[in-house]
Amino acid sequence: MASLFKKKTVDDIIKEQNRELRGTQRAISRDRAALEKQEKQLELEIKKMAKTGNKEACKVLAKQLVQLRKQKNRTYAVSSKVTSMSTQTKVMNSQMKMAGAMSATAKTMQAVNKKMDPQKTLQTMQNFQKENMKMEMTEEMINDTLDDIFDASDEEEESQDIVNQVLDEIGIEISGKMAKAPSAARGLPSASASTGTTISDEEIERQLKALGVD
């Protein structure tokens, strides 16, 4: 019972109108079919009267045929009008729905604008930009410090490798010199020989300077 007294919405009204228009279209189509059937019968009657030579009957039937064809053409015009009305109703319904959607969107935007403070939003964006710049500067400083640490470590290792190489070359050179020592030294006691093979600090410094290493 509650549905009987329920207020009809726009969609309900449009649905009812569309049902009525479809019913009208079906009725027009039935009338047109009946007129076409009657039209064929009149054409047969006219041919029959023409064969018998009854000209008066042919004229009467011909007038009826003309009126019938005019009525059939009217059904096409009415049918086209009904179709146009149905289309127009659907377009209006679509426009009303779009207007409703735009109205709801406008209300939502209005509520958001009331809640939003432009000055506060601008300040938030500026603070974000400032903190982001601070973070980037801090990250850059940390990266530079790490690069300096690792670069210094690499340079120290490279310097140590050069010193080791130089010392190895000095050892090879001194050993070669001792191998070419005079044979008279061979008669010296073993202790003296071991003393002769000792490399002094002055000799090492001289060899380093000769190789260009301070």
Side-chain angles (χ1 to χ4, degrees):
M1 294 294 294
S3 60
L4 296 176
F5 300 100
K6 183 179 178 181
K7 186 177 180 179
K8 293 182 180 180
T9 62
V10 177
D11 288 337
D12 294 335
I13 296 174
I14 290 176
K15 286 179 181 179
E16 290 181 359
Q17 290 179 349
N18 286 332
R19 282 196 296 268
E20 292 178 0
L21 291 174
R22 286 195 296 270
T24 302
Q25 284 282 31
R26 288 192 294 269
I28 292 173
S29 297
R30 287 194 296 268
D31 291 342
R32 187 185 304 115
L35 291 173
E36 289 176 349
K37 183 177 181 181
Q38 189 175 357
E39 180 183 6
K40 291 179 181 179
Q41 291 176 352
L42 284 174
E43 289 175 352
L44 292 175
E45 287 293 329
I46 291 172
K47 290 179 181 179
K48 184 178 180 181
M49 292 295 106
K51 288 181 180 179
T52 59
N54 192 344
K55 294 182 180 180
E56 293 297 327
C58 287
K59 290 181 180 180
V60 173
L61 293 175
K63 290 180 179 180
Q64 292 179 2
L65 182 60
V66 170
Q67 293 297 326
L68 190 145
R69 286 178 176 177
K70 287 182 178 180
Q71 182 61 27
K72 187 178 72 170
N73 291 332
R74 293 191 188 99
T75 61
Y76 282 112
V78 173
S79 179
S80 176
K81 186 65 176 179
V82 171
T83 302
S84 176
M85 291 175 61
S86 177
T87 303
Q88 187 175 1
T89 302
K90 292 179 181 179
V91 171
M92 291 177 62
N93 185 27
S94 177
Q95 291 176 347
M96 291 179 63
K97 288 182 178 179
M98 287 191 295
M102 292 174 67
S103 176
T105 304
K107 290 180 180 179
T108 303
M109 293 174 65
Q110 185 178 4
V112 172
N113 288 329
K114 287 182 179 180
K115 295 292 183 181
M116 184 181 294
D117 186 358
Q119 295 296 331
K120 187 176 181 180
T121 303
L122 178 60
Q123 185 178 0
T124 301
M125 294 176 65
Q126 290 176 347
N127 291 335
F128 172 79
Q129 185 178 8
K130 182 172 66 176
E131 295 300 325
N132 188 43
M133 290 178 63
K134 287 182 179 180
M135 183 178 294
E136 290 179 355
M137 291 175 63
T138 302
E139 183 179 0
E140 185 176 357
M141 291 173 63
I142 293 174
N143 291 333
D144 291 341
T145 303
L146 291 174
D147 290 340
D148 292 340
I149 292 173
F150 288 114
D151 289 344
S153 178
D154 293 339
E155 290 178 0
E156 184 177 355
E157 291 180 0
E158 186 176 358
S159 299
Q160 187 62 37
D161 291 339
I162 293 174
V163 172
N164 292 336
Q165 182 179 358
V166 170
L167 292 176
D168 290 340
E169 291 176 355
I170 291 173
I172 294 172
E173 184 178 351
I174 297 300
S175 297
K177 289 181 179 180
M178 294 305 297
K180 296 178 181 180
S183 59
R186 296 179 183 177
L188 295 175
S190 58
S192 301
S194 61
T195 304
T197 57
T198 301
I199 303 173
S200 63
D201 294 336
E202 292 79 2
E203 182 64 22
I204 292 175
E205 291 179 0
R206 186 185 67 79
Q207 293 294 336
L208 289 172
K209 289 181 179 180
L211 293 173
V213 179
D214 295 333

